[in-house]
Amino acid sequence: MDQSSEVALSRSTAATAVHRPTNSSTVLLFVALLIGGLLFAGLNLFHDVNDTMARHGSWISILLLILALLIALGFEFVNGFHDTANAVATVIYTHSLPPHVAVVWSGLFNFLGVLTSSGAVAFGIISLLPVELILQVGSSAGFAMVFALLISAILWNLGTWWLGLPASSSHTLIGSIIGVGIANALMHGRDGTSGVDWTQVSKVGYSLLLSPLVGFFCAALLLVLLKRLVKQPQLFEAPKNKEAPPWWIRSLLVLTCSGVSFAHGSNDGQKGMGLIMLILVGTVPLSYGLNRALPASEMGKFALVAQATQQSLQHAQPAAEPEQPRAILTRYIRSQHWQPDVVPALAAVTGQIGKQIEAHGSLASVPEDSVGNVRNDMYLASESIRLLQQSKDAHLDQATLANLKTFKGELDASTKFIPTWVKVAVAIALGLGTMVGWRRIVVTVGEKIGKTHLTYAQGASAELVAMTTIGAADAFGLPVSTTHVLSSGVAGTMAANRSGLQIDTIRNLLMAWVLTLPVAIALSASLYWLFSKLFV
């Protein structure tokens, strides 16, 4: 049998395994996890909000809360089978793991990645949203925003999944957020560009743009280095028939698959967590607006830091306290244009926050009718400090900048928190998604990118680069696309190996990459306008 026949047979064997019906044990595990996850999340949510909703919540607000949470978890579920399928393609097509074992294994490491995530990406995503909608997320406009960006992202992800195109869920969500921001600005008579934090979007955009290039060239370079340094011919051969690779090769591939799945969970899982927290804060601010788990002993330090920060700001730019400091900070966050009244406004809001915390003694003691205002003040102060730290116009001295940094840390600890049950719910949704719809994307990555079957070294190189890139992005709080990094990594190894690329597939991948942003923007903007009219 010649080499081309062996490759064809190996691909056929892998494809047969991919399309084999799901066994009953996997189905039972899926159902058990689904029921357990819903019960766990539901009971914890009921425990947290029971008293508040009983006193102040209408049936409509309760239904909107449940619906919004289900849609947010639905986004993570779709994300699971849309993005995580990339992680298992290499271990399946190198016969390192049977398909159903691979997807359960990947789901487990996605679960662990979500549970151990830092939350930086989650709140980085939220900072892209229009400031006025964040401050009023419990309003009809806030719900319209959440529903529009989640539903548009789900629709595009499902469409590209159905066509077997590894499009990016991160790319889609960013487009949806931009669409909502543009629509909100236009509906309020402002220039469409004023509704989006373009500095933050460009930062995220660069990470999404560069990550496929990093995947392609780094995976290609790693494969070339392996060929030079590792004198093991088996590593550079395609699998034969149904034979599993040697144990050391198999261990390497399973390890890299685990790493990509873990990194995907720790990065992509945070997007759903951030949106869920936004929903909870808007609907049940008493329970989720402030981190009531912070001990009262920490609040004395908080008040002192607030006082020191206020004094530093007043000394840096002496001026009378403005009449509407919150409006000034809101304008600053929206426009990102520094004006002389920003520092006095921040000093005023900082002083008010410190006085309220000192008066109540702890976050848990903040009165119910004040929680929303205190949180909004903290959000305005934190985001204004973030912008001031990057500004070249404010001319603040080092002592003031140091105080601002410390105070921002206190603010973020008080507002940027994620309850364990939210992490568990998102982790289960992402893991279950991995177990369901992985086949279409796996076939594209495993069969349709290169003209030859994946070798063990190609699979390991693509996975190792993807794992490292996503992990680094998570450390810096940047969302990247698992899909883009891994599929471009596979393409890079095919190019480095001179195996040839299937141009039709590459063209379709590029088309999906180019179309994702404009389609998501148009979908979310249209849905936001529609929902805004319906929720009035």
Side-chain angles (χ1 to χ4, degrees), residues 253-264:
L253 289 163
V254 172
L255 176 65
T256 53
C257 167
S258 305
V260 171
S261 301
F262 182 88
H264 176 267

Side-chain angles (χ1 to χ4, degrees), residues 410-445:
E410 296 289 336
L411 293 171
D412 291 347
S414 303
T415 56
K416 295 183 178 181
F417 67 101
I418 300 174
T420 301
W421 75 262
V422 172
K423 288 190 173 186
V424 171
V426 169
I428 291 175
L430 198 62
L432 291 179
T434 306
M435 297 168 62
V436 174
W438 50 273
R439 286 184 176 85
R440 291 177 183 273
I441 306 300
V442 163
V443 169
T444 298
V445 174

Side-chain angles (χ1 to χ4, degrees), residues 33-112:
L33 287 173
L34 176 62
I35 295 173
L38 289 174
L39 285 174
F40 178 80
L43 289 173
N44 277 276
L45 178 63
F46 179 80
H47 176 267
D48 287 348
V49 308
N50 183 36
D51 291 339
T52 305
M53 297 302 284
R55 291 197 303 269
H56 304 289
S58 65
W59 282 108
I60 293 178
S61 62
I62 294 173
L63 289 174
L64 283 175
L65 169 63
I66 294 172
L67 180 60
L69 290 176
L70 288 176
I71 293 175
L73 292 174
F75 169 76
E76 286 299 339
F77 180 81
V78 173
N79 189 4
F81 66 70
H82 189 271
D83 276 22
T84 316
N86 294 276
V88 298
T90 54
V91 290
I92 291 173
Y93 275 87
T94 55
H95 308 308
S96 298
L97 288 176
H100 301 303
V101 174
V103 295
V104 173
W105 183 263
S106 178
L108 172 63
F109 278 87
N110 265 282
F111 182 91
L112 295 175

Side-chain angles (χ1 to χ4, degrees), residues 194-213:
S194 68
V196 179
D197 184 347
W198 292 108
T199 303
Q200 192 74 359
V201 167
S202 62
K203 182 180 174 183
V204 171
Y206 282 132
S207 71
L208 290 172
L209 176 65
L210 292 176
S211 55
L213 300 177

